């Protein structure tokens, strides 16, 4: 814990304190660690690993508590604490302010920090960045100043990229970092272009995109050359790596020894199975880093750790002084267990060094009817939210809308007469309905979801006539339109249909389409094309591929979401591309 320089309190207790209560404390308050200093031992040892009967050798007990749960630990220990140590600035950490005046004070601090960093050339000024930061962006920088961990939860279009970069530079400056250590950005592959475009805008220099070997160009600048150029210019190297390729590039990433790590779209790292038990030769149980499902299949030839495991190794690198998570997804909207890994990446060990400690405290973990542990519940959620307040900034949609130009969102109800005929999905829907009726257990939900998704796809294909009627006047006026659907085949069918209608009406428009089957470079080129084209233009795409992590579609005059996504949160993401 001290190795990672995380804010913590150390509560020292007399040897007469009951060790059983300390073990219960660890279980009830995940993140707290109980230690015992024994005679003839140079350092305190973890109580849960000591042999029975150790109590007679205890000189004193120590409870190490992350700053976010110190109030819980102190309340349980009562008056038994004889000495308290403040480590790594734990005493100055306060939760996010509840009053408007408190937030305004943070914004004032953030504004001063922004001006200082701009003068020092560590971030871009308003002219280069294109705008002055919004009050909640200033507040984010002010909030980050005393803390090593920050979680930013804000709606799409709120400027989370700018908030993360400002906050990282603010914190690094506060701890005396000289502006030359590596800033690492871990993001989904589809978001790499956003960071490529926005890092120069907000930091004033280009980042290096660390790509898998299969995507590298022989003529492209090497990482070593980029780092050398940054050192010569005395500027911070900023490296962007895709989450999907992180396991393969982990050795290169760890060698960078980053001083700051930003996890973009951190909700995509929810897999808590980062280690797995293995049987040792002597019969004992050991643990190893979790591997992908393909790696565990005999004879597959694949040997690859999971994304979450790789992200954890990056987060726990001792050189890291600041960790930031960025997401538009509410942490506690779904299953609480999905919040553990994102929280642990931003504050390692801050919510339990073991997932099961977290699950017993906040997921109501218990033994299932047929064995195993059930961890899908929700317990002590208010307590968990209170602990998160020590590192969480949550921006409401209304705050963002106050500083954005108006965008009109309209839901349109189509009568049966407005729909086109579509027989393409009849057989598929019938087959999926039969499978859903036969499925049991966990497979039943997946089968029903597939059947609903097929009906949504069918509904989307029936809207093509209406889509054309909406797009036609935009094209005639020289405007730009985007159509989102959710199936690759549907994208290609709809694009072909619209191309035919444009030809029939003798309208000239640049029509292009894209989906998850497109290579990363092709996706980047499509986004650049739409941002830079003057119109008329029509872009047909899947929301999964182009509805997240991009700001290149904001110039659209019309956006149509023809197929509603299965998850409501995805709809918010898609709409946010145009806000």
């Amino acid at each position: 814990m001290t190795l990672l320089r995380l804010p913590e309190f150390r509560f020292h207790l007399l040897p007469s304190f009951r060790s059983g209560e300390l073990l219960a404390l660890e279980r009830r308050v995940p993140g707290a660690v109980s230690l015992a200093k024994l005679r003839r031992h140079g350092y305190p040892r973890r109580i849960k690993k000591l042999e029975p009967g150790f109590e007679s050798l205890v000189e004193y007990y120590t409870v190490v508590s992350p700053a976010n749960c110190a109030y819980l630990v102190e309340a349980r220990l009562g008056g038994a604490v004889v000495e308290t140590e403040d480590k790594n600035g734990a005493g100055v950490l306060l939760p996010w302010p509840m009053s408007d005046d408190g937030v305004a004070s943070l914004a004032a601090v953030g504004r001063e920090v922004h001006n200082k960093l701009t003068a020092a050339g560590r971030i871009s000024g308003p002219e280069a960045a294109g705008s002055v930061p919004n009050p909640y962006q200033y507040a984010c920088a002010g909030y980050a100043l005393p803390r090593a961990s920050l979680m930013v939860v804000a709606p799409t279009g709120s400027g989370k990229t700018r908030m993360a970069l400002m906050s990282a530079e603010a914190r690094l400056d506060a701890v005396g970092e000289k502006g030359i250590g590596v800033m690492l950005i871990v993001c989904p592959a589809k978001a790499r272009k956003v960071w490529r475009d926005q890092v120069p805008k907000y930091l004033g220099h280009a980042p290096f995109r660390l790509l898998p070997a299969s995507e590298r160009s022989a003529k492209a600048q090497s990482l070593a050359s980029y780092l050398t150029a940054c050192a010569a210019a005395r500027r911070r190297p900023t490296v962007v790596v895709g989450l999907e390729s992180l396991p393969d590039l982990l050795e290169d990433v760890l060698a960078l020894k980053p001083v700051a790590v930003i996890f973009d779209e951190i909700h995509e790292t929810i897999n808590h199975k980062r280690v797995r038990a293995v049987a040792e030769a002597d019969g004992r149980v050991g643990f190893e880093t979790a591997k992908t499902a393909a790696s565990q299949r005999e004879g597959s030839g694949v040997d690859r750790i999971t994304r979450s495991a790789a992200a954890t190794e990056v987060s726990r690198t001792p050189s890291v002084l600041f960790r930031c998570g960025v997401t538009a997804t509410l942490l506690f909207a779904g299953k609480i267990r999905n919040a553990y890994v994102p929280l642990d990446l931003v504050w390692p060990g801050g919510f339990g060094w073991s997932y099961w400690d977290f699950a017993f405290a906040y997921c109501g973990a218990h033994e299932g009817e047929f064995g195993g542990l059930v961890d899908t519940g929700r317990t002590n959620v208010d307590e968990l939210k209170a602990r998160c307040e020590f590192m969480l900034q949550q921006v409401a949609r209304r705050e963002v809308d106050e500083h954005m130009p108006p965008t009109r969102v309209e839901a349109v109800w189509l009568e049966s007469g407005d729909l086109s005929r579509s027989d393409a999905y009849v057989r598929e829907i019938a087959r999926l309905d039969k499978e859903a009726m036969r499925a049991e257990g966990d497979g039943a939900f997946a089968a029903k979801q597939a059947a609903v998704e097929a009906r949504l796809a069918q509904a989307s294909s029936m809207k093509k006539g209406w889509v054309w009627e909406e797009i036609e006047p935009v094209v005639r006026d020289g405007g730009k339109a985007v159509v989102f659907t959710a199936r690759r085949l549907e994208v290609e069918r709809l694009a072909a249909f619209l191309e035919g209608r444009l030809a029939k009406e003798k309208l000239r428009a640049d029509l292009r389409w894209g989906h998850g089957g497109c290579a990363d470079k092709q996706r980047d080129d499509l986004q650049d094309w739409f941002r830079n084209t003057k119109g008329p233009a029509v872009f047909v795409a899947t929301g999964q591929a182009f509805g997240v992590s991009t700001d290149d579609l904001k110039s659209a005059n019309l956006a149509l979401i023809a197929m509603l996504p299965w998850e409501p949160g995805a709809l918010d993401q898609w709409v946010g591309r145009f806000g």
Side-chain angles (χ1 to χ4, degrees):
M1 290 171 284
T2 305
L3 180 65
L4 297 181
R5 288 171 280 186
L6 297 168
E8 64 189 29
F9 287 97
R10 298 192 171 194
F11 300 104
H12 299 293
L13 309 167
L14 295 174
S16 56
F17 198 87
R18 293 176 293 277
S19 60
E21 290 189 21
L22 295 179
L23 290 173
L25 173 65
E26 280 199 26
R27 174 63 66 90
R28 179 58 191 84
V29 186
V33 176
S34 300
L35 308 172
K37 170 62 174 67
L38 306 182
R39 290 192 293 274
R40 299 189 300 276
H41 287 272
Y43 57 89
R45 302 173 65 186
R46 189 89 179 260
I47 290 177
K48 66 188 300 183
K49 295 184 177 181
L50 295 175
E51 297 292 334
F54 69 88
E55 288 86 355
S56 60
L57 301 175
V58 174
E59 292 184 1
Y60 62 86
Y61 290 110
T62 298
V63 178
V64 180
S65 170
N68 66 51
C69 63
Y71 70 100
L72 296 171
V73 172
E74 195 167 22
R76 287 183 168 268
L77 296 177
V81 178
V82 295
E83 183 183 357
T84 302
E85 288 185 79
D86 173 346
K87 293 286 187 178
N88 304 317
V92 301
L93 291 188
L94 297 174
W96 180 262
M98 302 300 292
S99 67
D100 292 341
D101 289 342
V103 176
S105 296
L106 276 182
V109 172
R111 188 176 290 105
E112 291 181 12
V113 172
H114 175 269
N115 294 340
K116 175 186 175 183
L117 294 173
T118 300
R122 291 177 65 162
I123 63 174
S124 302
E127 288 187 8
S131 64
V132 174
N134 294 323
Y136 61 81
Q137 293 174 323
Y138 279 132
C140 185
Y143 185 60
L145 210 57
R147 60 199 76 232
S149 304
L150 175 68
M151 181 74 79
V152 177
V153 180
T156 54
S158 58
K160 295 186 292 295
T161 303
R162 188 177 199 175
M163 295 163 72
L165 294 173
M166 277 177 53
S167 298
E169 287 292 355
R171 174 59 182 171
L172 293 175
D173 180 67
V175 297
E177 200 276 329
K178 303 301 182 182
I180 56 175
V182 174
M183 183 185 299
L184 178 69
I185 297 160
V186 180
C187 62
K190 59 194 174 188
R192 290 181 306 194
K193 181 180 182 300
V194 173
W195 290 94
R196 184 198 70 184
D197 294 343
Q198 297 202 3
V199 168
K201 183 177 179 180
Y202 297 127
L203 295 187
H205 61 264
F208 182 86
R209 291 203 297 174
L210 187 58
L211 301 174
S214 60
E215 297 182 35
R216 295 176 193 166
S217 167
K219 298 180 181 179
Q221 183 183 25
S222 67
L223 176 59
S225 172
Y226 173 80
L227 295 175
T228 300
C230 289
R234 299 290 298 173
R235 68 168 183 264
R236 183 182 309 289
T238 305
V239 178
V240 180
V241 61
L243 176 63
E244 296 86 346
S245 57
L246 183 61
D248 301 317
L249 300 171
L250 185 58
E251 186 176 341
D252 293 335
V253 169
L254 296 180
L256 293 171
K257 296 182 178 179
V259 294
V261 180
I262 298 172
F263 294 99
D264 188 20
E265 306 290 352
I266 197 171
H267 59 275
E268 296 200 8
T269 60
I270 63 174
N271 183 7
H272 66 267
K273 296 179 181 179
R274 299 176 291 179
V275 296
R276 71 184 189 101
V278 293
E280 303 286 4
D282 59 4
R284 293 183 299 176
V285 176
F287 294 90
E288 68 175 14
T289 304
K291 303 288 184 69
T292 61
S295 303
Q296 298 177 43
R297 287 197 293 268
E298 188 174 351
S300 69
V302 179
D303 185 20
R304 195 168 188 264
I305 64 174
T306 65
R307 300 173 188 176
S308 294
T312 298
E313 291 202 34
V314 171
S315 173
R316 295 186 179 181
T317 301
S319 61
V320 178
L321 303 173
F322 179 73
R323 301 166 181 83
C324 178
V326 179
T327 180
T329 302
L330 297 177
L331 293 176
F332 309 115
K335 295 176 181 177
I336 294 296
R337 70 181 184 185
N338 292 341
Y340 174 70
V341 172
L343 293 175
D344 189 64
L345 290 178
V346 175
W347 195 326
F351 296 85
W353 290 97
S354 159
Y355 165 71
W356 289 110
D357 291 341
F358 178 89
F360 280 114
Y362 301 117
C363 305
H366 61 278
E367 187 174 347
E369 182 179 357
F370 303 103
L373 288 174
V374 178
D375 59 352
T376 55
R378 300 168 66 90
T379 51
N380 306 309
V381 176
D382 288 341
E383 175 186 296
L384 178 59
K385 289 181 178 180
R387 293 181 62 176
C388 289
E389 290 295 327
F390 285 86
M391 67 170 193
L392 174 67
Q393 181 191 10
Q394 192 160 318
V395 181
R397 168 55 70 182
R398 59 175 176 77
E399 293 181 76
V400 178
D401 291 344
E402 288 176 3
H403 305 281
M404 298 289 286
T407 300
R408 184 165 61 90
V409 179
E410 182 180 359
V412 180
W413 176 265
L414 300 182
E415 301 292 345
S416 58
D418 299 323
L419 301 175
S420 308
R421 183 180 176 86
S422 177
D423 299 324
Y425 294 93
V426 174
R427 290 184 179 179
E428 181 182 357
I429 291 172
R431 175 179 59 80
L432 291 172
D433 283 343
K434 289 180 180 179
E435 291 179 2
M437 291 177 65
R438 290 194 299 264
E440 297 180 357
D442 293 340
F445 177 79
K448 291 178 181 177
Q449 181 174 339
V452 172
E453 191 274 342
R455 283 181 165 81
L456 290 173
Q458 181 187 42
S460 175
S461 68
M462 297 170 70
K463 300 171 188 173
K464 60 184 180 182
W466 173 81
V467 168
W468 165 250
E469 291 176 1
E470 295 294 312
I471 285 177
E472 182 185 12
V474 175
V475 171
R476 289 188 184 278
D477 290 342
K480 299 160 69 173
V482 176
V483 184
F484 277 163
T485 182
R487 282 197 171 187
R488 297 181 183 183
L489 182 59
E490 193 59 38
V491 165
E492 297 177 23
R493 286 173 175 169
L494 182 56
F497 169 78
L498 294 176
E499 195 169 37
R501 293 306 300 261
L502 287 168
K504 184 178 179 180
E505 298 296 330
K506 298 181 179 179
L507 291 175
R508 298 186 64 180
D510 193 352
L511 185 147
R512 304 188 189 186
W513 55 265
H515 51 54
C518 300
D520 284 346
K521 185 179 185 308
Q522 188 178 357
R523 292 195 210 183
D524 292 351
D525 291 344
L526 284 169
Q527 293 175 70
D528 288 339
W529 156 75
F530 193 85
R531 182 184 67 248
N532 297 323
T533 187
K534 301 301 181 183
V538 179
F539 183 42
V540 185
T542 57
Q544 291 92 330
F546 293 90
V548 295
S549 304
T550 179
D551 291 325
D552 292 321
L553 305 181
K554 291 184 181 293
S555 60
N557 303 102
L558 173 70
L560 300 176
I561 297 178
M563 177 175 171
L564 294 175
W566 170 255
E567 298 175 339
L571 180 61
D572 292 339
Q573 286 273 4
W574 297 6
V575 172
R577 297 309 103 205
F578 310 100

